Amino acid sequence: EAGVTQFPSHSVIEKGQTVTLRCDPISGHDNLYWYRRVMGKEIKFLLHFVKESKQDESGMPNNRFLAERTGGTYSTLKVQPAELEDSGVYFCASSQLRGTDTQYFGPGTRLTVL
Amino acid sequence: AQSVTQLGSHVSVSEGALVLLRCNYSSSVPPYLFWYVQYPNQGLQLLLKYTSAATLVKGINGFEAEFKKSETSFHLTKPSAHMSDAAEYFCAVSPGSNQFYFGTGTSLTVIP
């Protein structure tokens, strides 16, 4: 069974540019999560999808971040325009059930904004 | 409010020595607790989780953790470190909502 995959693994962009990160969850997992880790700090929750619906987006930093999950399969996270403080590692996770069910994480996308 | 504190951002142990990684949590409700490990260039992998059953939880690769409610702790241990244990370890708490709350991580170095 394939795990959670993320693309790209690394992205280096300049301030003001746009970047789109993609996450493919484990097949059959309705729940998809985005997290971010800024260097040296904790991994922080960004948002949660149940199928194609946003269940909780309380962790999204601001309106420069837009997440979508059309069709309830893969998800994208777009940052537009990117700022220096957006640099970090963006993790995607999926789970079969919500709540305390184990979340399975992808390898992350390392975003560097110059 | 939920939070996790991992004492020691870097821990070094000799090969064959005891591994002890500390995690203290704060939760307003009975928590579910998790330890994840991240090897270089890989995603977070679940080591073990506590779900209010036995307080001593055994995980993969010889790791175990003990839930101590009175100390609000969930420390991770392994009796004998192996070189392959070198990685970053994250403690997380779930209060039953959808989001996990993570600590800042502990990087484990194993010295041959």
Side-chain angles (χ1 to χ4, degrees), chain A residues 66-84:
Chain A
L66 175 64
E68 294 181 323
R69 193 182 182 196
T70 307
T73 54
Y74 71 91
S75 174
T76 58
L77 180 64
K78 180 190 288 188
V79 184
Q80 178 182 33
E83 298 289 344
L84 299 180

Side-chain angles (χ1 to χ4, degrees), chain A residues 29-33 47-56 69 71-73 95-99, chain B residues 98:
Chain A
H29 282 193
D30 288 340
N31 294 274
L32 187 149
Y33 312 81
L47 86 158
H48 169 218
F49 283 99
V50 177
K51 297 185 180 179
E52 66 276 7
S53 299
K54 290 177 187 173
Q55 184 73 20
D56 179 355
R69 193 182 182 196
T73 54
S95 68
Q96 200 160 30
L97 304 173
R98 38 174 113 180
Chain B
N98 301 302

Side-chain angles (χ1 to χ4, degrees), chain A residues 5-114:
Chain A
T5 58
Q6 293 186 245
F7 182 83
S9 56
H10 293 83
S11 180
V12 181
I13 61 173
E14 293 190 351
K15 176 183 171 180
Q17 290 186 320
T18 298
V19 63
T20 300
L21 314 181
R22 173 172 169 144
C23 168
D24 286 78
I26 292 172
S27 178
H29 282 193
D30 288 340
N31 294 274
L32 187 149
Y33 312 81
W34 284 98
Y35 290 84
R36 177 174 72 172
R37 187 187 190 200
V38 173
M39 185 180 292
K41 300 199 172 181
E42 70 270 31
I43 300 169
K44 278 193 171 180
F45 169 83
L46 294 178
L47 86 158
H48 169 218
F49 283 99
V50 177
K51 297 185 180 179
E52 66 276 7
S53 299
K54 290 177 187 173
Q55 184 73 20
D56 179 355
E57 51 184 331
S58 61
M60 294 287 264
N62 51 60
N63 59 11
R64 294 185 294 102
F65 290 75
L66 175 64
E68 294 181 323
R69 193 182 182 196
T70 307
T73 54
Y74 71 91
S75 174
T76 58
L77 180 64
K78 180 190 288 188
V79 184
Q80 178 182 33
E83 298 289 344
L84 299 180
E85 64 265 25
D86 301 333
S87 295
V89 180
Y90 290 77
F91 291 101
C92 176
S94 71
S95 68
Q96 200 160 30
L97 304 173
R98 38 174 113 180
T100 57
D101 193 29
T102 299
Q103 295 183 14
Y104 297 88
F105 282 76
T109 293
R110 182 174 295 277
L111 174 64
T112 302
V113 183
L114 302 175

